[in-house]
Amino acid sequence: MIRHSKHTSESWKALPWKKFRRNLFRLQKRVFKAVQVGDKRKARLLQKLILKSTSARFLAIRQVSQLNAGKKTAGIDDKKSLSFEERFNLEELLKMNSGNWKHQGLREIPIPKKDGTTRMLKIPTIGDRAWQCLAKYALEPAHEATFHARSYGFRTGRSAHDAQKYIFINLSSKANGIEKRVIELDIEKCFDRINHSAIMDELIAPKGLKLGIFRCLKAGVNPEFPEQGTPQGGVVTPPTILQTFWLKLWEIRNFPYAKNHIYLFSVHLNSLY
């Protein structure tokens, strides 16, 4: 007989993970539909439910401690992994502080670039990554409803293969005539120049979640540019969901899409998370 306690691996493995995924997906669908019909107040209330959801908390902890490629990377607390008891303790911590999360410092890892310079990959602690993953569960469905139909970067259920298929089909001479243009845009220092105010003003999220995201952005800024830049290496920070969201804002403000134009955005992505 299995003795269920926080000290045993069986307690963690026996959790109803499929049920957790169904519960989370049901809430995310409701957020998506609320934003689609323009009811942002309802969407924010549902996002609060996701932050308070036991299913979402356990799935977030499992994602960052077991499934992610960078799960063994330590933050400033030097923790590379969590015991089963520590995972349950982290779930309790997220339960108490999900709406008022305070980020710890970031561990900096230099990454060499092709031009001989280096850039800093800034790694949050496992606890901070778990909160970021929980925030991602709440943010993603709200903004999926507003993203451009042909945006493929770091979006759920989409990949580079979808972009390749779209380009292949539209470059065919049978599609929209034979005269076409492919415009490739390389955004220089994308992560160092993302404006915090632009993101925070447009973010669809309750107040507590916005405050956590703001603290997350401020945790890894360059002192020379306190209102710009983001830490690279977290779950919700670029090059993941916020970078995709920022590109959406940038596209809308700068590019009237033409029928026979294909736009390729490049921002030099390099992350394990």
Side-chain angles (χ1 to χ4, degrees):
M1 180 180 291
I2 296 174
R3 185 174 72 88
H4 288 278
S5 84
K6 295 182 180 180
H7 298 274
T8 62
S9 61
E10 288 83 359
S11 299
W12 180 262
K13 294 176 182 177
L15 290 172
W17 297 110
K18 289 185 179 180
K19 181 181 177 182
F20 287 168
R21 286 194 292 268
R22 286 196 301 268
N23 292 343
L24 176 59
F25 185 59
R26 185 172 65 250
L27 285 172
Q28 288 180 318
K29 281 197 299 184
R30 293 176 65 189
V31 173
F32 182 87
K33 290 178 180 178
V35 175
Q36 264 193 331
V37 299
D39 192 349
K40 291 186 179 180
R41 181 177 178 276
K42 182 179 179 181
R44 292 188 184 99
L45 291 174
L46 290 168
Q47 285 176 316
K48 287 183 180 179
L49 285 182
I50 291 177
L51 293 178
K52 295 176 181 178
S53 167
T54 301
S55 300
R57 290 196 299 272
F58 275 116
L59 287 171
I61 294 168
R62 183 171 182 250
Q63 184 69 40
V64 301
S65 64
Q66 289 184 274
L67 304 179
N68 281 358
K71 60 183 179 291
K72 295 293 184 182
T73 308
I76 59 168
D77 58 358
D78 288 328
K79 274 191 174 294
K80 293 186 176 181
S81 62
L82 298 178
S83 67
F84 295 104
E85 183 179 6
E86 287 173 328
R87 292 175 194 175
F88 283 107
N89 291 338
L90 178 56
E91 190 273 332
E92 289 291 331
L93 186 63
L94 288 173
K95 182 179 181 179
M96 292 186 293
N97 301 296
S98 62
N100 188 29
W101 188 263
K102 296 182 180 179
H103 282 262
Q104 299 183 53
L106 304 175
R107 180 186 175 203
E108 295 187 344
I109 300 177
I111 304 295
K113 298 172 72 173
K114 291 182 179 179
D115 58 3
T117 61
T118 60
R119 69 176 179 88
M120 300 306 295
L121 190 65
K122 300 180 180 181
I123 310 299
T125 63
I126 296 178
D128 286 341
R129 297 206 295 267
W131 183 88
Q132 289 184 16
C133 189
L134 184 61
K136 175 176 175 282
Y137 289 154
L139 289 172
E140 216 167 34
H143 292 285
E144 276 291 331
T146 63
F147 281 147
H148 192 277
R150 298 302 176 188
S151 167
Y152 298 102
F154 294 102
R155 291 182 61 187
T156 304
R158 299 186 177 216
S159 67
H161 297 88
D162 297 307
Q164 290 172 357
K165 178 181 177 181
Y166 177 74
I167 293 171
F168 179 81
I169 291 173
N170 282 273
L171 287 180
S172 168
S173 60
K174 297 178 182 179
N176 300 324
I178 60 173
E179 292 186 2
K180 299 181 180 67
R181 296 178 182 177
V182 177
I183 303 176
E184 182 177 3
L185 303 171
D186 180 18
I187 305 174
E188 185 179 3
K189 295 184 178 179
C190 175
F191 309 122
D192 297 331
R193 296 293 183 268
I194 292 179
N195 186 275
H196 295 169
S197 299
I199 290 180
M200 299 309 300
D201 290 345
E202 300 294 333
L203 207 60
I204 303 171
K207 185 178 179 180
L209 181 54
K210 274 193 172 185
L211 181 61
I213 294 295
F214 183 76
R215 289 170 177 166
C216 172
L217 290 171
K218 293 298 182 184
V221 298
N222 186 335
E224 297 179 10
F225 302 98
E227 300 302 322
Q228 298 177 350
T230 56
Q232 301 176 48
V235 177
V236 77
T237 51
T240 49
I241 185 172
L242 289 186
Q243 178 258 329
T244 306
F245 171 60
W246 183 82
L247 277 181
K248 179 200 74 170
L249 293 177
W250 196 68
E251 291 172 27
I252 293 170
R253 293 173 182 174
N254 293 278
F255 286 94
Y257 281 86
K259 190 175 182 180
N260 61 340
H261 288 186
I262 298 174
Y263 296 91
L264 304 178
F265 294 93
S266 173
V267 288
H268 298 305
L269 306 180
N270 181 18
S271 175
L272 297 175
Y273 307 91

